[in-house]
Amino acid sequence: MVTKVRKPSHAGSWYTDNPKKLSEELEGWLNSSGLTKSSDVRGVIAPHAGYSYSGRAAAYAFGNIDPSNIKRVFLLGPSHHYYTPKCALSTATVYKTPIGDLSIDLEVNEQLKATGKFETMDIQVDEAEHSMEMHLPYLAKVFEGHPVKIVPILVGAVSAESEAMYGELLSQFVDDPTNFFSISSDFCHWGSRFNYMYHDKKHGPIYKSIEALDKMGMDIIETGDPDSFKKYLSEYDNTICGRHPISVFLHMLKNSSTKIKVKFLRYEQSSQCHNTRDSSVSYASAAAKVDASNSS
C-alpha cells in the first residue's frame, strides 16, 4: 500500500518544529496541569490556536488521557478555509508531527466512507487546515510508546439535521472504551476583526462579558443537550469556531448507551478586552468522562 503523508504544515510557525523543544514544552504544560490520568476519560474538547496562545490551556484537556487502553482516536475539527456541508475524511495514510507520526486507521476510514455520508478532502485542504493539526503533537506526546491510530474527520458547515445524523452514525464507536474522541474548538473570537462585539454591560468590562457568555455556553455543553447548545448559538451567535464538531460530539454522547459527561477544567483568554479596538480569542478545555453515578 502506498504511504501518503500529511506534512505538519504549521510546524515552525504555530508551534516549534524543533522536536526536543516541542517535547519539553508539551511535557512542561502537561506536568503543570497537575491532572490525574483516568481511563474513564473518553474524550476531550481542546483549543487549536498557536501554542504560545493556547498550548498551556490545551494541557488541561490532554493531561487527563490514560493512553494504556486506547487504540484509536477520532479527531473532529472545524473547517476554516474549505467549504463543505458535509464531514470529510482524509486521503492521507499518516499524519506527521515533529515528535512522531500518527497512522490513520484505514479500516475505520473505509467503513465510514462506505456509509456514503462522507466526502474526502484532498491533501492540500488537509494540510491547509490547522484545527486538527494543533491536537496532533499533544496526541503524539500523550500516546508515546503506545500503538494508537487516528481517524481525522473535518466537520464542515453542517446543518442541525446533519449534526444529528453524523452524531448518530458515529455513536456506535462511543461504547467501545478503546476509542477516544478529540474535539477541536476555540471559544469566543471577539473584536472588529472577527465581526463580533457582543457586550452585556451588566458584567462590567468587555472581557468579563465575554467570559460570562463563554461560561454560559460551557455550562450548556456540560448538560449534554445539543438542542440547548443550538438555541444558545442562535440567540447569542457566540463565535465558537468548533460549534459543529462540539454539536456532533454531543449527539454522539446522546445516542450512546455509555453515559458520558463533559466537564470544563480550564478557561483562558488570549488577552483582556477593555475597549472596541481590542480583540481576543477564548480557549476552553474539557474532559468527557464516564459518569459513574449513572452506571448500573
Side-chain angles (χ1 to χ4, degrees):
M1 197 206 66
V2 188
T3 303
K4 193 173 178 186
V5 173
R6 182 203 182 278
K7 296 193 292 291
S9 49
H10 295 74
S13 51
W14 288 54
Y15 56 98
T16 178
D17 54 3
N18 176 320
K20 189 175 180 292
K21 204 175 152 206
L22 180 59
S23 197
E24 284 168 0
E25 209 168 51
L26 295 171
E27 269 165 31
W29 285 323
L30 287 165
N31 291 337
S32 67
S33 73
L35 294 164
T36 311
K37 295 175 165 61
S38 165
S39 58
D40 283 338
V41 173
R42 305 280 285 279
V44 292
I45 298 171
H48 56 235
Y51 281 178
S52 61
Y53 295 103
S54 71
R56 182 181 62 167
Y60 287 84
F62 295 107
N64 294 282
I65 302 173
D66 176 354
S68 43
N69 296 320
I70 298 162
K71 295 192 173 74
R72 187 183 296 112
V73 178
F74 289 80
L75 183 50
L76 277 68
S79 180
H80 286 85
H81 312 290
Y82 171 72
Y83 175 79
T84 173
K86 292 182 169 184
C87 286
L89 302 167
S90 180
T91 55
T93 60
V94 64
Y95 275 20
K96 278 198 169 314
T97 88
I99 54 170
D101 301 341
L102 294 159
S103 294
I104 289 185
D105 191 323
L106 300 174
E107 205 178 312
V108 172
N109 232 17
E110 285 307 316
Q111 193 183 334
L112 294 177
K113 220 178 282 181
T115 64
K117 303 290 186 193
F118 293 82
E119 60 174 68
T120 49
M121 53 176 157
D122 65 39
I123 203 81
Q124 286 79 11
V125 168
D126 205 339
E127 288 180 346
E129 182 52 62
H130 64 272
S131 72
M132 295 190 281
E133 180 178 338
M134 299 311 291
H135 281 205
L136 300 175
Y138 260 117
L139 292 172
K141 170 50 71 186
V142 168
F143 286 96
E144 225 165 23
H146 297 268
V148 73
K149 288 186 171 178
I150 58 168
V151 182
I153 301 172
L154 183 76
V155 182
V158 291
S159 65
E161 296 71 35
S162 290
E163 286 171 350
M165 179 270 291
Y166 284 114
E168 203 173 325
L169 193 153
L170 292 165
S171 67
Q172 59 177 306
F173 298 104
V174 177
D175 291 325
D176 179 351
T178 65
N179 289 329
F180 190 86
F181 304 89
S182 195
I183 312 301
S184 180
S185 184
D186 293 336
F187 273 68
C188 185
H189 297 61
W190 197 94
S192 57
R193 70 193 182 103
F194 298 118
N195 259 340
Y196 189 75
M197 300 179 82
Y198 174 85
H199 182 198
D200 184 344
K201 293 188 171 55
K202 77 162 183 273
H203 295 292
I206 294 168
Y207 71 91
K208 284 286 192 197
S209 164
I210 295 169
E211 180 174 357
L213 180 69
D214 279 331
K215 294 249 164 111
M216 193 194 305
M218 290 152 68
D219 289 347
I220 289 167
I221 291 167
E222 287 186 351
T223 68
D225 181 13
D227 299 328
S228 302
F229 185 49
K230 204 86 225 132
K231 200 163 156 254
Y232 158 82
L233 290 170
S234 64
E235 193 171 335
Y236 296 98
D237 207 24
N238 190 1
T239 42
I240 300 172
C241 55
R243 54 173 66 192
H244 297 303
I246 291 170
S247 297
V248 169
F249 186 52
L250 292 178
H251 279 288
M252 283 160 64
L253 299 184
K254 192 177 150 183
N255 282 287
S256 76
S257 49
T258 311
K259 286 286 156 265
I260 293 171
K261 268 184 91 64
V262 176
K263 188 168 182 9
F264 280 91
L265 302 169
R266 185 76 176 179
Y267 176 77
E268 295 181 18
Q269 293 174 354
S270 59
S271 59
Q272 290 188 344
C273 291
H274 292 275
N275 61 59
T276 53
R277 290 186 304 281
D278 295 339
S279 70
S280 73
V281 179
S282 309
Y283 311 118
S285 293
K289 197 173 182 181
V290 175
D291 186 6
S293 64
N294 268 336
S295 60
S296 46

